[in-house]
């Protein structure tokens, strides 16, 4: 397990977060950011994160280097990216624990948006890119937020250029029945809406988050044993 404090436990009946009146988390609170498996009910991705900001406009969280996460793998332990695309989504899967070896990720999500925006840096805090992760709007619960990934993504670069990512995975997921025609159209529409924001250089791209830095006093959250517990959902 990673060093540091445990993810803050909040009972399902509470309003959630450090403030039981507003249901908002305070900076420094540690929560879970999770994804359900596609066309299923189980959680197959869980990442302990630290809250940077949580208000009616934005949830911002930090995933620190060295964080122990849950990720999906094939039943024989093969990493998903090592499996040919044509069989990647049809072979049996399981999950395993792994450490995030990157330089850390800042995740930004506005309430109701069908995407979140992630910021990546190279070593030495050299900003690399924004990553628009198309997904179900986040659903809040007492211990964190849940979503379902929609495969298709967008990379946005410091010079404001951008490009689609994982179009082949999006197509394969449709072919394998993980995404139906109606959902596929919703994902495409979400992507078009995100591109409009990028072209207008709206929030969060224009907000200067690439200059943000984590509080050095923050510890790396630990992954709780019941990371896959079924929550009592609160709000989106």
């Amino acid at each position: 397990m990673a060093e540091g404090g445990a993810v803050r436990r909040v009972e399902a009946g509470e309003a959630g977060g450090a403030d039981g009146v507003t249901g908002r988390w305070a900076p420094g609170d540690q929560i879970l950011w999770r994804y359900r498996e596609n066309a299923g009910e189980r959680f197959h991705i869980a990442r302990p994160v630290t809250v940077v900001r949580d208000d009616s406009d934005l949830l911002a969280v930090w995933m620190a280097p060295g964080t122990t996460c849950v990720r999906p793998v094939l039943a024989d332990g093969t990493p998903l990216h090592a499996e040919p695309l044509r069989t990647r989504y049809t072979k049996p899967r399981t999950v395993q624990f792994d450490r995030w070896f990157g330089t850390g990720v800042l995740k930004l999500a506005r309430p109701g948006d069908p995407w979140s925006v992630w910021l990546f840096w190279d070593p030495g805090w050299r900003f690399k890119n924004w990553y628009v992760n198309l997904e179900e709007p986040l659903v809040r619960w007492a211990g964190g937020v849940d979503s379902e990934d929609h495969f298709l993504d967008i990379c946005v670069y410091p010079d404001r250029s951008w490009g689609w990512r994982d179009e082949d995975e999006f197509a394969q997921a449709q072919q394998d029945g993980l995404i139906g025609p109606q959902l596929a159209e919703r994902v495409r529409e979400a992507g078009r809406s995100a591109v409009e924001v990028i072209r207008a250089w709206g929030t969060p791209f224009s907000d200067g988050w690439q200059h943000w830095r984590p509080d050095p006093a923050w510890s790396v959250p630990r992954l709780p044993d019941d990371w896959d517990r079924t929550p009592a959902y609160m709000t989106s």
Side-chain angles (χ1 to χ4, degrees), residues 36-96:
R36 293 182 304 277
E37 61 186 355
N38 299 94
E41 295 298 326
R42 297 180 302 176
F43 295 102
H44 69 164
I45 294 174
R47 297 167 177 166
V49 294
T50 301
V51 174
V52 175
R53 170 182 159 186
D54 183 27
D55 56 37
S56 60
D57 295 323
L58 184 73
L59 173 64
V61 303
W62 169 244
M63 186 170 68
T67 299
T68 297
C69 303
V70 176
R71 68 183 181 95
V73 294
L74 297 185
D76 63 2
T78 300
L80 297 186
H81 65 80
E83 180 67 18
L85 186 58
R86 60 184 174 81
T87 53
R88 187 176 301 171
Y89 303 129
T90 57
K91 286 191 173 181
R93 293 188 180 192
T94 186
V95 296
Q96 72 177 28

Side-chain angles (χ1 to χ4, degrees), residues 125-147:
W125 286 105
R126 185 169 66 88
F127 182 63
K128 184 178 180 182
N129 64 274
W130 295 269
Y131 190 86
V132 181
N133 196 70
L134 298 176
E135 59 192 31
E136 285 295 317
L138 295 180
V139 176
R140 299 169 65 97
W141 58 286
V145 292
D146 294 342
S147 182

